[in-house]
């Protein structure tokens, strides 16, 4: 049975924060020809979501879906202050049905706003690390790491660091 990997996007998400890690998971094929992951792109309401590059991605509604891993994608929309409470509630609810949760780049702002990074170590793009620390002083931000795993929560630095995060998760799953 493939592990469900959900990629949570918000309007003005960074396309590479989505496609880099998504591609890493997509390329995994076992020696028997099976694919160990099923990939889904989700959003708060479902439907079309526009990236910072003006590309529209059709998503499923996060609602009651279950995932092995939920990855919150970064971008301008992830840095909104404040984040819509309905979005934060959707993320909080999803974590009760998810083995591990992660963020790519500024997706860490959404996890922090939802309270999921309180008293945890986390990272984001170096350019946004100081802002994440100022806005969420309960998070132990390290802006000089490619990715950080703190229990079941993983965070990564910007853009292509999401690929490194995905590869580390794949290694954790399959050696």
């Amino acid at each position: 049975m493939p592990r469900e990997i959900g990629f949570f996007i918000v309007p003005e998400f960074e396309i590479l924060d989505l496609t880099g890690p998504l591609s890493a998971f997509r390329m995994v094929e076992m020696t028997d020809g099976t694919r160990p992951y099923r990939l889904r792109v989700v959003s708060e309401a479902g439907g079309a979501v526009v990236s910072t590059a003006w590309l529209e991605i059709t998503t499923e509604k996060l609602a009651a879906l279950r995932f092995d891993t939920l990855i919150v994608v970064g971008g301008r929309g992830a840095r909104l202050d404040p984040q819509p409470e309905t979005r934060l509630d959707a993320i909080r609810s999803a974590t009760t049905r998810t083995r591990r949760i992660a963020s790519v780049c500024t997706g860490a702002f959404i996890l922090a706003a939802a309270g999921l990074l309180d008293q945890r170590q986390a990272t984001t793009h170096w350019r946004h690390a100081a802002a994440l620390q100022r806005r969420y002083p309960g998070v132990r931000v390290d802006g000089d790491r490619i990715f950080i795993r703190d229990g079941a929560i993983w965070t990564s630095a910007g853009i292509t660091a999401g690929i490194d995060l995905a590869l580390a998760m794949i290694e954790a799953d399959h050696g």
Side-chain angles (χ1 to χ4, degrees):
M1 191 77 169
R3 295 176 191 248
E4 296 274 336
I5 309 290
F7 292 88
F8 182 80
I9 61 174
V10 299
E12 293 193 88
F13 70 95
E14 176 57 52
I15 195 77
L16 281 173
D17 284 359
L18 169 64
T19 58
L22 187 144
S23 294
F25 282 108
R26 171 64 182 93
M27 290 181 184
V28 178
E29 186 172 317
M30 305 311 283
T31 55
D32 65 1
T34 61
R35 295 203 183 273
Y37 298 108
R38 179 167 184 246
L39 310 175
R40 301 165 89 166
V41 181
V42 298
S43 64
E44 180 185 346
V49 179
V50 179
S51 75
T52 56
W54 307 290
L55 295 173
E56 254 185 21
I57 302 291
T58 302
T59 66
E60 297 177 71
K61 185 175 180 175
L62 178 59
L65 296 175
R66 291 188 165 278
F67 296 101
D68 174 77
T69 304
L70 181 64
I71 299 173
V72 178
V73 174
R76 268 184 248 145
R79 295 189 316 265
L80 277 179
D81 188 24
Q83 286 287 328
E85 197 58 39
T86 54
R87 178 176 297 158
L88 300 178
D89 287 343
I91 291 293
R92 288 182 199 112
S93 176
T95 64
T96 66
R97 305 179 307 274
T98 303
R99 177 174 66 102
R100 66 183 168 198
I101 189 157
S103 65
V104 177
C105 194
T106 56
F109 282 77
I110 294 174
L111 295 184
L116 300 174
L117 297 181
D118 290 348
Q119 307 311 309
R120 292 185 181 269
Q121 191 175 18
T123 194
T124 189
H125 189 285
W126 63 267
R127 186 179 303 150
H128 302 288
L132 181 64
Q133 186 66 78
R134 269 192 314 276
R135 201 181 298 175
Y136 304 101
V139 179
R140 297 187 315 269
V141 178
D142 183 345
D144 195 32
R145 299 275 299 275
I146 298 296
F147 69 87
I148 292 174
R149 177 182 182 180
D150 188 334
I153 298 185
W154 303 52
T155 55
S156 78
I159 310 285
T160 57
I163 297 169
D164 294 307
L165 173 88
L167 292 173
M169 289 179 157
I170 292 164
E171 180 181 37
D173 291 346
H174 304 288

